[in-house]
Amino acid sequence: MLGKTAGGLFWMFRYLERSENIARLVDAGQRIALTRSDAAASEWGSILATAGARDAYLQKYDAFEGANAVDFLLRDKDNPSSVMSVISSARDNARLVRTALTREVWEAVNECYLTLRKLLARKISERDLPDVLGIIRQRSVYVRGALHGTMMRNDIYDFARIGTFLERADNTARILDVKYYVLLPSANFVGSSLDNVQWETILRSVSGEGAFRHNYGSDSTPADIAEFLILDRRMPRSLAFCYSKISANLGYLEADYGDRHPCHDTADAVNARIRASTVDLIFEGGLHEFIQDFLRFNAMLGQQIEQDYRFYG
């Protein structure tokens, strides 16, 4: 496969995943703002930090305010990670690799772009925001459904999946990094109103509140939520799940091409470290340190994949 085709697929699906992640974060921030107005400003700052957009936001606005934060995250052209920006980039990459996609995948991406361009043409009111966020998530799901239902399981599919799970792992780790203090095993935090609300924010950001309660019940601990989002291989947004898929798809590329690259070793090493970890070991060594190491390796893996397969984002 040509490097530009591999890169187009990889980044197309990273951008699509990012659009859905941003919508999830905005939904979590909006719910905090509605239920705890006294914490709204700090929560929007936290959401922007998780999205990697805090500094860019502060170059434009003086304070963390809900309407401005929502607009910046959803439709601001000055924010390269806004939903509209990344959907435009996803469509540009889809056009670049049009011949590698089935008609259904291309149409799903194009309809996603056209729908969101119309939807986000003007500021979103607080009343309309839940519906808009639902449509953003829905459109991303449509593309993934078309991918799973119509694409051959070949190198094209592998690069799409690697892009998806690399971005998803980054998002989950960023949420944990920003919120890690909530998960500190301190009696001063556990059971407090701040603790409970922040836990709900974390779980809602990954659409994991139902699955978490099903597995851990209502009487859960900081260790439980860390275990769920880092180590539970059944949770589709956990670090363990994402890296099991990344390693598998890189393995398929190795088998198809007959070549092994540094990115394979890095992915397998991260996957092995997660498999060997327990939540007790993670807390003993420092949750923050574990997440920081993961984020560094995840970023390095993305760069290695680009170098090894000769494409650059």
Side-chain angles (χ1 to χ4, degrees):
M1 181 187 292
L2 291 175
K4 69 176 184 179
T5 303
L9 291 161
F10 176 83
W11 279 105
M12 169 188 165
F13 279 89
R14 284 201 74 164
Y15 287 134
L16 284 165
E17 181 68 25
R18 193 173 300 177
S19 72
E20 182 177 348
N21 293 337
I22 294 296
R24 292 173 182 276
L25 289 172
V26 171
D27 178 66
Q30 184 68 3
R31 287 178 178 273
I32 289 289
L34 291 174
T35 56
R36 297 184 70 239
S37 58
D38 59 316
S42 62
E43 185 60 28
W44 283 118
S46 173
I47 295 297
L48 287 157
T50 304
R54 190 178 188 273
D55 292 342
Y57 175 89
L58 289 174
Q59 291 177 8
K60 192 166 187 175
Y61 300 102
D62 295 329
F64 298 119
E65 195 273 326
N68 290 336
V70 169
D71 194 63
F72 190 74
L73 288 168
L74 294 187
R75 55 186 295 276
D76 197 314
K77 294 179 180 178
D78 294 331
N79 176 14
S81 290
S82 72
V83 168
M84 199 63 243
S85 293
V86 297
I87 287 298
S88 296
S89 295
R91 183 176 182 255
D92 289 343
N93 279 280
R95 292 176 66 180
L96 177 69
V97 300
R98 174 67 184 87
T99 57
L101 303 173
T102 61
R103 177 173 55 85
E104 289 83 356
V105 173
W106 162 251
E107 288 180 351
V109 175
N110 196 45
E111 288 173 10
C112 174
Y113 168 78
L114 294 173
T115 298
L116 297 187
R117 184 179 67 174
K118 182 178 180 180
L119 198 66
L120 300 175
R122 58 185 61 84
K123 277 194 172 186
I124 308 302
S125 68
E126 186 175 299
R127 182 189 63 186
D128 294 334
L129 184 59
D131 289 339
V132 170
L133 296 176
I135 292 170
I136 293 170
R137 293 193 300 268
Q138 182 186 71
R139 285 294 166 181
S140 177
V141 169
Y142 285 169
V143 179
R144 277 205 306 276
L147 176 81
H148 295 320
T150 67
M151 294 288 291
M152 290 278 291
R153 269 39 175 184
N154 55 13
D155 52 354
I156 295 171
Y157 183 82
D158 291 329
F159 280 111
R161 294 277 281 177
I162 291 166
T164 295
F165 287 109
L166 196 73
E167 185 70 28
R168 186 176 296 180
D170 181 80
N171 181 70
T172 298
R174 284 176 178 271
I175 292 168
L176 288 168
D177 190 45
V178 171
K179 300 290 189 183
Y180 84 96
Y181 60 88
V182 183
L183 300 173
L184 293 175
S186 167
N188 294 328
F189 282 96
V190 178
S192 69
S193 60
L194 173 64
D195 176 58
N196 293 334
V197 169
Q198 294 285 7
W199 279 26
E200 191 68 25
T201 303
I202 295 172
L203 292 169
R204 189 160 196 90
S205 297
V206 296
S207 290
E209 63 269 41
F212 179 77
R213 298 305 177 197
H214 177 77
N215 283 281
Y216 293 94
S218 58
D219 187 20
S220 50
T221 68
D224 291 338
I225 193 170
E227 182 178 49
F228 182 64
L229 293 182
I230 296 172
L231 302 177
D232 196 322
R233 304 180 74 81
R234 302 165 299 173
M235 167 57 183
R237 293 184 177 274
S238 74
L239 304 187
F241 185 96
C242 290
Y243 261 78
S244 69
K245 300 303 180 184
I246 291 170
S247 288
N249 285 107
L250 281 172
Y252 300 148
L253 290 175
E254 180 185 0
D256 287 344
Y257 295 158
D259 290 322
R260 186 172 179 87
H261 299 291
C263 64
H264 295 92
D265 296 329
T266 298
D268 288 348
V270 175
N271 196 27
R273 185 188 181 195
I274 295 173
R275 282 178 173 271
S277 295
T278 65
V279 70
D280 290 338
L281 287 174
I282 290 172
F283 273 96
E284 183 179 329
L287 176 63
H288 182 58
E289 289 72 19
F290 180 92
I291 296 166
Q292 284 291 309
D293 283 346
F294 178 87
L295 284 166
R296 282 193 292 270
F297 277 106
N298 197 60
M300 183 175 73
L301 177 61
Q303 294 170 355
Q304 286 179 336
I305 291 169
E306 291 183 318
Q307 294 167 1
D308 294 344
Y309 290 99
R310 296 176 176 82
F311 65 86
Y312 303 94

